[in-house]
């Protein structure tokens, strides 16, 4: 599953002519993917699965709300493990 996600993130077109997570990071935020803040990473995740329709750097209300949910899930995974998001429960 990790490999499938890696391949997807590196072939998806994040903006016209922008392919891959690293290129998206450079395009939307002007920095390497490894240097993204949690908020920026959540915004990139929030524009999937329609990244050509939405903007990560200057998001509208829908992307802001979705990014907030993604960032909350990131915190839950960090604090309680992946099961809290996948199964809806901790441990």
């Amino acid at each position: 599953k990790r490999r499938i996600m890696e391949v997807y993130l590196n072939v998806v077109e994040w903006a016209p002519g922008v392919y891959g997570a690293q290129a998206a990071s450079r395009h939307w935020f002007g920095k390497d993917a490894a240097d993204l803040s949690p908020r920026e990473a959540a915004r990139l995740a929030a524009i999937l699965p329609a990244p050509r329709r939405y903007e990560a750097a200057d998001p509208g209300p829908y992307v802001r709300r979705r990014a907030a949910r993604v960032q909350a899930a990131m915190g839950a995974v960090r604090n309680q493990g992946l099961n809290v998001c996948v199964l809806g429960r901790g441990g």
Side-chain angles (χ1 to χ4, degrees), residues 38-71:
R39 182 179 184 177
E40 292 164 336
R43 283 185 176 180
L44 282 180
I47 66 173
L48 294 172
R52 291 190 58 181
R53 181 176 175 189
Y54 300 110
E55 291 192 16
D58 187 22
Y62 169 77
V63 172
R64 283 195 305 270
R65 284 191 309 272
R66 190 165 155 88
R69 288 192 305 270
V70 168
Q71 200 166 353

Side-chain angles (χ1 to χ4, degrees), residues 7-83:
V7 169
Y8 172 70
L9 293 175
N10 284 303
V11 298
V12 68
E13 188 175 16
W14 292 86
V18 178
Y19 294 91
Q22 175 66 12
S25 178
R26 300 291 279 139
H27 174 81
W28 290 114
F29 300 108
K31 59 175 88 171
D32 287 339
D35 297 328
L36 289 175
S37 70
R39 182 179 184 177
E40 292 164 336
R43 283 185 176 180
L44 282 180
I47 66 173
L48 294 172
R52 291 190 58 181
R53 181 176 175 189
Y54 300 110
E55 291 192 16
D58 187 22
Y62 169 77
V63 172
R64 283 195 305 270
R65 284 191 309 272
R66 190 165 155 88
R69 288 192 305 270
V70 168
Q71 200 166 353
M74 290 164 54
V77 169
R78 183 174 37 260
N79 295 327
Q80 301 171 35
L82 188 58
N83 285 345

